[in-house]
Amino acid sequence: EVQVVESGGGFIKPGGSLRLSCAVSGVTFINAWVSWVRQAPGKGLEWVGRIKSTTDGGTTDYAAPVKGRFTISRDDSKDMVYLQMNRLTTEDTAVYYCTHLREMTFADWGQGTLVIVSS
Amino acid sequence: EIVLTQSPGTLSLSPGQRASLSCRASQSISGNSLAWYQQKPGQTPRRLIYDASTRATGIPDRFSGSGSGTDFTLTISRLEPEDFAVYYCQQYVIIPRTFGQGTKVDIK
């Protein structure tokens, strides 16, 4: 069974930085594609970005609102994916979900971690 | 970017009724690269359908997906009490991945 567990959310002031972590188990991690999806309070789902599997090059893609501020990375030795978020604004307040992709879709979701950006 | 427009915004139905949810894309989605997700209040989204019509593992057969090109439909043949939730469509043919704004199915 695939398990996805996020951590690292919290309260941060505008302009600050935060790093979220995502542990993925139950899969061969070097083959795992992982995305981050966020959901602002009371709003819909928004794709943040993805990292391909190491076997597929480990490259990343980002949504326009976060490009240049957010960075997704992976540590295959720890079966972990990270979301480094810099220059945070109030618009980044959301629950951040880590998702494991299968058939190119968000098949396995973590429980989410809440990030609140406020002064 | 592909914009997905879901309709209606809210669907008010009774248990046992049939639900039809629409998802329209701003441009053609090749390969039927469209998925549907269900999200219940306070819960994590769950994948229901991928490739427009393939049910994910463990999804009851009362859920079905159809469509191609720019028009897709999620059908729930007979609503069960646990099906009252918000449903999102999502395309994965191009980056950025995009979601529809959601359709809420609530109890009439």
Side-chain angles (χ1 to χ4, degrees), chain B residues 6 8-13 19 21 37-46 48 63 74 76 79-88 102-107:
Chain B
Q6 293 186 239
T10 301
L11 197 52
S12 296
L13 295 168
L21 287 64
Y37 301 84
Q38 176 195 64
Q39 187 177 31
K40 299 177 185 179
Q43 295 190 19
T44 294
R46 175 174 72 148
L48 298 176
F63 291 92
L74 175 70
I76 311 171
L79 282 163
E80 297 287 341
E82 62 267 28
D83 299 336
F84 292 92
V86 178
Y87 294 84
Y88 297 94
T103 289
K104 182 178 182 181
V105 179
D106 67 13
I107 299 176

Side-chain angles (χ1 to χ4, degrees), chain B residues 14-92:
Chain B
S14 301
Q17 286 191 294
R18 181 185 184 91
S20 289
L21 287 64
S22 172
C23 177
R24 180 161 290 178
S26 60
Q27 61 190 81
S28 183
I29 296 177
S30 61
N32 288 342
S33 299
L34 186 108
W36 289 93
Y37 301 84
Q38 176 195 64
Q39 187 177 31
K40 299 177 185 179
Q43 295 190 19
T44 294
R46 175 174 72 148
R47 184 182 67 161
L48 298 176
I49 301 284
Y50 62 94
D51 292 347
S53 62
T54 302
R55 270 189 303 277
T57 303
I59 301 304
D61 61 8
R62 64 180 181 272
F63 291 92
S64 63
S66 62
S68 63
T70 60
D71 290 298
F72 298 87
T73 301
L74 175 70
T75 301
I76 311 171
S77 60
R78 287 177 56 86
L79 282 163
E80 297 287 341
E82 62 267 28
D83 299 336
F84 292 92
V86 178
Y87 294 84
Y88 297 94
C89 59
Q90 179 250 329
Q91 64 79 20
Y92 48 100

Side-chain angles (χ1 to χ4, degrees), chain A residues 33 37 39 43-47 50 61-63 97 102-107 109-112, chain B residues 34-35 37 39 43-47 49-51 57 88 90 92 95-101:
Chain A
W33 289 45
V37 174
Q39 187 169 36
K43 302 297 184 182
L45 301 170
E46 180 185 22
W47 178 76
R50 73 166 181 198
D61 294 286
Y62 300 94
Y97 295 102
R102 283 185 280 129
E103 293 86 31
M104 301 301 288
T105 58
F106 311 122
W109 296 66
Q111 80 287 354
Chain B
L34 186 108
Y37 301 84
Q39 187 177 31
Q43 295 190 19
T44 294
R46 175 174 72 148
R47 184 182 67 161
I49 301 284
Y50 62 94
D51 292 347
T57 303
Y88 297 94
Q90 179 250 329
Y92 48 100
I95 294 291
R97 303 308 195 216
T98 49
F99 290 90
Q101 82 280 17

